[in-house]
Amino acid sequence: MLMLINCSGCRTPLQLPHGATSIRCALCQAVTHVADPRSVPPPSPNAVAPPPGPTGPWGQPPPPPAHGNKRAVICGISYRNSRHELKGCINDAKCMKYMLMNRFHFPESSIIMLTEEERDPYKIPTKQNIRMAMYWLVQGCQPGDSLVFHYSGHGSQQRNYTGDEADGYDETLCPLDFETQGMIVDDEINTALVRPLPHGVRLHAIIDACHSGTVLDLSFLCRMNRSGQYMWEDHRPRSGVWKGTSGGEAISFSGCDDDQTSADTAALSKITSTGAMTFCFIQAIERSQGMMTYGSILNSMRAAIRSTGDSMGGGPVTSLISMLLTGGSAGGGLRQEPQLTSNDMFDVYAKPFSL
């Protein structure tokens, strides 16, 4: 049996193997020591259960059924009552949950929602709660499992000094409290979600944010032109740092390239504000006929955004940097191009898509 404990340094949940008395955190390198569980006497039948600890509701996921387990973390951040406010991100989160449950049969009990509308303080999309949710998602995953991480909110970039980014910048996600607690950097996302994936486990990330093309630091990016022709670009770090999985599969759809911004707009749904990428991703799946492939979904998303951008001629973009500089939204229409990245190369028109 595996036990979940908090790192003594950064408080990240760690999975302690059976019989182990210490574990090193991959993020902060702190060593956390625990008492040998075999030396702890069983609790008295009349013992009172202790109150929830600092990990809140983040327990170990239940054992997967024989056919494989489905789990998802959905994060939508509106930055309500701030100058960074977005209108469509919570709508994105609700739509994604509905699709996962009704189209791909994810159990509601296996979906963690992080939005400002949640009443549970551990489900507010703060930096610590998003970190804990990412680690919960991969805890105890086994062959046959399907994992989904969806994020709709601000994304940004910061200078990289280790030499493992081709453009010199790390991509980041902006939690609700990023102004005081900082952003979540792509290196940490890769460590939390990608590297632990064992053989037979598949992770899909759907990232609707600015500068999100390579935000999972996956090794290969599918560079596709407007006619649908593509080639894989090698984004493995020149430093040789390992960014792959532990035998599993990680694939990410993102809202735009690393140097682009993503739209928060009502121009697509005609009803309410949504993230352009999330709307087009769900629409591509709902409108698909026959076998869905990664290439057909990516093409459909790009075509929908191009047609909307050409027709609207301008609109709000959720560029964090431009909003910080101007104190509001910047114009320019929909000029984003959704991206596909993976830990390995494959034929995007032959590989069936499923969650």
Side-chain angles (χ1 to χ4, degrees):
M1 179 177 179
L2 298 170
M3 183 170 66
L4 199 64
I5 64 171
N6 275 351
C7 169
S8 59
C10 65
R11 310 303 295 170
T12 295
L14 303 173
Q15 187 172 273
L16 186 72
H18 176 68
T21 58
S22 65
I23 187 169
R24 182 182 296 275
C25 177
L27 293 178
C28 70
Q29 303 302 312
V31 176
T32 302
H33 297 276
V34 296
D36 187 340
R38 293 169 295 186
S39 66
V40 178
S44 166
N46 300 320
V48 178
T55 59
W58 308 105
Q60 183 179 347
H67 63 274
N69 207 11
K70 294 192 175 192
R71 295 202 298 272
V73 168
I74 300 175
C75 181
I77 315 177
S78 69
Y79 312 89
R80 191 173 296 160
N81 301 321
S82 78
R83 60 177 177 167
H84 316 301
E85 186 167 356
L86 299 174
K87 302 297 184 183
C89 296
I90 294 180
N91 289 335
D92 290 344
K94 292 177 179 178
C95 291
M96 185 61 65
K97 179 181 179 181
Y98 182 87
M99 184 190 73
L100 291 180
M101 291 175 58
N102 291 278
R103 180 67 184 257
F104 296 103
H105 311 296
F106 277 64
E108 185 172 15
S109 60
S110 296
I111 299 175
I112 297 294
M113 291 282 286
L114 299 176
T115 73
E116 290 112 307
E117 292 186 350
E118 299 297 317
R119 297 190 177 186
D120 184 339
Y122 293 100
K123 305 293 178 64
I124 303 298
T126 62
K127 182 176 184 178
Q128 176 65 0
N129 285 348
I130 295 175
R131 275 179 162 180
M132 295 171 76
M134 289 193 296
Y135 276 83
W136 171 88
L137 184 63
V138 301
Q139 289 298 321
C141 57
Q142 297 185 20
D145 287 1
S146 174
L147 314 178
V148 171
F149 178 74
H150 173 248
Y151 172 91
S152 180
H154 279 304
S156 190
Q157 292 178 304
Q158 66 183 35
R159 177 67 69 178
N160 170 271
Y161 295 99
T162 63
D164 63 358
E165 294 282 351
D167 61 357
Y169 288 91
D170 283 314
E171 285 64 52
T172 64
L173 301 181
C174 302
L176 182 61
D177 55 354
F178 76 93
E179 291 184 296
T180 57
Q181 299 302 311
M183 298 180 284
I184 302 176
V185 183
D186 51 10
D187 299 314
E188 179 178 348
I189 299 168
N190 182 275
T191 298
L193 292 180
V194 177
R195 291 191 221 176
L197 296 174
H199 178 75
V201 175
R202 178 180 293 180
L203 167 75
H204 285 95
I206 300 102
I207 311 295
D208 196 346
C210 296
H211 312 293
S212 54
T214 61
V215 75
L216 262 67
D217 264 359
L218 296 177
S219 299
F220 300 97
L221 182 144
C222 178
R223 187 66 70 187
M224 183 178 286
N225 63 23
R226 289 198 170 203
S227 64
Q229 297 172 315
Y230 74 94
M231 62 179 294
W232 288 97
E233 288 182 358
D234 190 340
H235 282 249
R236 287 175 291 187
R238 290 170 292 179
S239 63
V241 174
W242 176 249
K243 295 286 188 175
T245 70
S246 297
E249 186 174 18
I251 298 174
S252 174
F253 285 96
S254 53
C256 59
D257 212 343
D258 287 342
D259 61 353
Q260 293 179 326
T261 55
S262 291
D264 182 52
T265 178
L268 287 154
S269 74
K270 311 297 184 185
I271 300 171
T272 186
S273 291
T274 63
M277 182 269 181
T278 300
F279 182 90
C280 292
F281 177 76
I282 294 175
Q283 179 179 262
I285 291 172
E286 294 299 322
R287 291 184 175 179
S288 63
Q289 297 180 350
M291 184 182 75
M292 288 186 293
T293 67
Y294 290 87
S296 66
I297 290 175
L298 186 60
N299 259 323
S300 176
M301 292 168 62
R302 289 181 160 208
I305 288 179
R306 278 199 303 267
S307 62
T308 303
D310 292 343
S311 63
M312 67 189 287
V317 260
T318 64
S319 167
L320 175 62
I321 294 175
S322 65
M323 292 186 76
L324 288 171
L325 292 175
T326 65
S329 296
L334 300 186
R335 295 293 179 262
Q336 66 189 91
E337 293 182 327
Q339 303 294 324
L340 174 69
T341 58
S342 174
N343 69 302
D344 206 354
M345 295 181 286
F346 58 89
D347 185 340
V348 301
Y349 293 115
K351 187 179 181 70
F353 170 83
S354 184
L355 296 177

